[in-house]
Amino acid sequence: SSSGGGGGDDGGKKCSGSRNSGDESDGDHDGVTSKTPDNYLPSLILNGCIMMGLSVEYSIIMPSLLSYVDHLNGKAIGFALALSVFSLSSAVSRPLAGCASDSLSFRTIYTVILITVIVGNILYSSAWWLGSMSVLVLGRMLAGVGGGSIDLAMVYTTRVTHQKDRTTWIARMQIPRMLGMLFGPCFQSVLSVLKLDKSSLFG
């Protein structure tokens, strides 16, 4: 009877050790582990800056998109297409980015997404001088992939913070996004006052 109880205790310890091991490895993926947030503070700040940049880009481009399309003689269908491909690529890239980051390198997926967004915005800008509506639409489609980076930034925040203050850090990471939505229109207003009419980036 006592040996049976001892075996049960040993089994319980093993199970407990297994659970503890699982807890310690929770969030461990591609070299990212749940440690003190201060250890990852530079990375969290960088993620915040990236999210702010994407918000600034979105809030600058959207108000000026219609006039940009008119300049390229794209008419209403061109405007609708530019909006649609951006939303579609964002909707598709988000789940794909999440699935890919679970099986592939998190940093690689994140980097590929950011490079794709940069190329998309370069194409969007080039459409002004090329006079091509197709280039504009392609640029907006590639830029829409940036939606996946926002989700990955939240995943990264979850992985590197403790459970007790995880919600606080996720809320903090939303601040740069909101600031970007504020700074974008302000920046565009300043450029409008300066009458930089030939800038394809700012309408």
Side-chain angles (χ1 to χ4, degrees), residues 4-99:
D9 291 341
D10 291 342
K13 289 179 181 178
K14 289 180 181 179
C15 291
S16 176
S18 176
R19 284 194 297 269
N20 290 337
S21 175
D23 292 341
E24 290 174 0
S25 64
D26 182 35
D28 189 352
H29 190 282
D30 195 28
V32 178
T33 55
S34 296
K35 298 181 180 178
T36 305
D38 290 344
N39 295 340
Y40 296 98
L41 188 58
S43 297
L44 290 170
I45 293 175
L46 178 59
N47 274 328
C49 291
I50 292 173
M51 293 172 66
M52 180 185 291
L54 291 173
S55 294
V56 169
E57 175 253 0
Y58 182 83
S59 58
I60 284 178
I61 288 179
M62 290 308 296
S64 61
L65 182 59
L66 181 58
S67 60
Y68 198 176
V69 171
D70 287 340
H71 172 78
L72 298 176
N73 298 318
K75 300 181 180 179
I77 186 64
F79 179 68
L81 188 60
L83 291 176
S84 299
V85 295
F86 180 89
S87 299
L88 178 62
S89 64
S90 180
V92 171
S93 68
R94 290 182 177 229
L96 289 180
C99 293

Side-chain angles (χ1 to χ4, degrees), residues 80-198:
L81 188 60
L83 291 176
S84 299
V85 295
F86 180 89
S87 299
L88 178 62
S89 64
S90 180
V92 171
S93 68
R94 290 182 177 229
L96 289 180
C99 293
S101 67
D102 286 336
S103 56
L104 303 174
S105 169
F106 182 89
R107 295 178 181 85
T108 299
I109 300 301
Y110 200 47
T111 302
V112 168
I113 289 176
L114 293 180
I115 292 175
T116 303
V117 173
I118 292 172
V119 172
N121 281 294
I122 290 175
L123 289 175
Y124 178 82
S125 303
S126 302
W128 180 277
W129 290 283
L130 295 175
S132 173
M133 190 63 204
S134 299
V135 174
L136 182 147
V137 171
L138 178 60
R140 292 311 292 156
M141 182 179 69
L142 294 178
V145 175
S149 67
I150 296 176
D151 294 338
L152 291 183
M154 292 295 99
V155 170
Y156 182 84
T157 303
T158 301
R159 288 177 177 174
V160 302
T161 54
H162 290 302
Q163 185 175 358
K164 62 183 179 63
D165 53 11
R166 187 165 294 157
T167 303
T168 301
W169 274 100
I170 291 176
R172 288 173 179 172
M173 293 301 290
Q174 298 299 323
I175 296 175
R177 290 187 64 190
M178 298 302 101
L179 289 177
M181 299 298 287
L182 172 65
F183 293 154
C186 292
F187 189 43
Q188 188 179 37
S189 298
V190 172
L191 293 172
S192 298
V193 171
L194 295 176
K195 299 185 184 303
L196 298 179
D197 298 327
K198 293 183 179 181

